Amino acid sequence: TALIPDNLDYKVDLASVLNKAERGFEAQQLLDQLLKENPEARNARILRELGKAWMSRDPVKSRTYLTDSLTLEAHPEAFILMAQLFMTRGRLEEAIRMFDTALSQFPDDAGVLSHYAALLSDLGRHDAAVGFYERLLKTAPSDSIILEKLGDTYEELNRAQNAVEAYQRAEKTHPEPEKLLMKLAQLQLHELHRLQDANPLFQVLY
């Protein structure tokens, strides 16, 4: 087994990678050992990664780490993680308050805006979600994933033409263009009754 370099940043980076790979137990073990050997290394980022490491196994412990992390340093990701903890436990109003607090400190953070928009859309507050997606597009006007989510939200509002325009903007750079073409074709056919516009799209797909 290769030795892990005795470097604080390296170990925290590795824990972050393990968390992203859903290997929270390994991330937790790595960070616990780091803090056992270097208790003075305890900082907001390490606590944030420990919060992530515990999310799926012990939400209470995860929340404790995230709260401690936010006490040391306000960070958008910590607010998002706290909101997600509340969401998984059905405490949606608390999740909303967490996002509102995050936005008061990080009004242009893409992660906060996109996660908040998704929550609002899930709650049926589609008009508010549209506002957040449009704010995101001011700084990333060609982001195909955000454009797709905007189109989906317009569909929920029965604003078919707006949805078509969003999907058309997204289709050019989307990682799954066929998915966007199908959404466009179905909208053109079933919502806007434009058979002449839907047919070419179906021909591309089939």
Side-chain angles (χ1 to χ4, degrees):
T1 304
L3 292 175
I4 296 176
D6 186 21
N7 178 286
L8 175 66
D9 290 336
Y10 173 87
K11 290 180 180 178
V12 181
D13 287 343
L14 178 56
S16 179
V17 170
L18 290 169
N19 273 328
K20 288 176 183 174
E22 299 183 356
R23 295 164 60 181
F25 179 67
E26 294 170 75
Q28 172 228 321
Q29 286 187 311
L30 175 62
L31 294 173
D32 283 347
Q33 184 64 31
L34 185 156
L35 291 177
K36 182 179 179 181
E37 296 171 355
N38 305 280
E40 72 284 354
R42 188 178 187 272
N43 61 29
R45 187 185 176 205
I46 289 175
L47 294 173
R48 194 162 63 247
E49 291 298 335
L50 279 166
K52 279 192 277 187
W54 280 104
M55 279 189 77
S56 63
R57 295 176 293 137
D58 190 332
V60 175
K61 187 169 287 189
S62 175
R63 183 180 175 184
T64 298
Y65 278 121
L66 292 171
T67 300
D68 290 347
S69 174
L70 284 167
T71 300
L72 293 176
E73 175 197 10
H75 192 281
E77 185 183 33
F79 284 116
I80 292 168
L81 293 168
M82 285 284 281
Q84 289 175 333
L85 279 175
F86 287 130
M87 289 161 61
T88 58
R89 301 176 74 180
R91 295 161 63 176
L92 301 180
E93 289 305 317
E94 289 175 87
I96 287 172
R97 283 197 292 272
M98 191 59 61
F99 279 127
D100 285 337
T101 302
L103 280 179
S104 70
Q105 299 184 52
F106 306 98
D108 299 316
D109 185 81
V112 174
L113 288 167
S114 60
H115 281 89
Y116 198 179
L119 171 60
L120 292 170
S121 190
D122 288 343
L123 293 174
R125 295 166 61 176
H126 302 298
D127 282 317
V130 164
F132 284 122
Y133 287 133
E134 288 178 341
R135 281 172 64 178
L136 281 164
L137 289 169
K138 287 180 181 178
T139 55
S142 59
D143 187 314
S144 61
I145 302 302
I146 297 300
L147 284 165
E148 180 188 7
K149 290 178 179 178
L150 177 61
D152 292 343
T153 309
Y154 278 137
E155 277 204 72
E156 294 290 344
L157 290 166
N158 296 314
R159 292 169 59 178
Q161 184 56 45
N162 293 117
V164 164
E165 291 167 3
Y167 291 147
Q168 286 174 332
R169 288 172 60 193
E171 186 264 329
K172 298 172 185 175
T173 57
H174 198 279
E176 299 178 82
E178 296 84 2
K179 178 182 175 185
L180 268 295
L181 287 173
M182 178 59 74
K183 289 184 178 185
L184 276 167
Q186 291 175 336
L187 272 175
Q188 298 281 21
L189 182 62
H190 300 298
E191 299 297 330
L192 299 174
H193 309 293
R194 296 174 181 165
L195 182 61
Q196 74 278 9
D197 292 325
N199 271 339
L201 298 172
F202 282 121
Q203 287 172 6
V204 170
L205 288 165
Y206 300 107

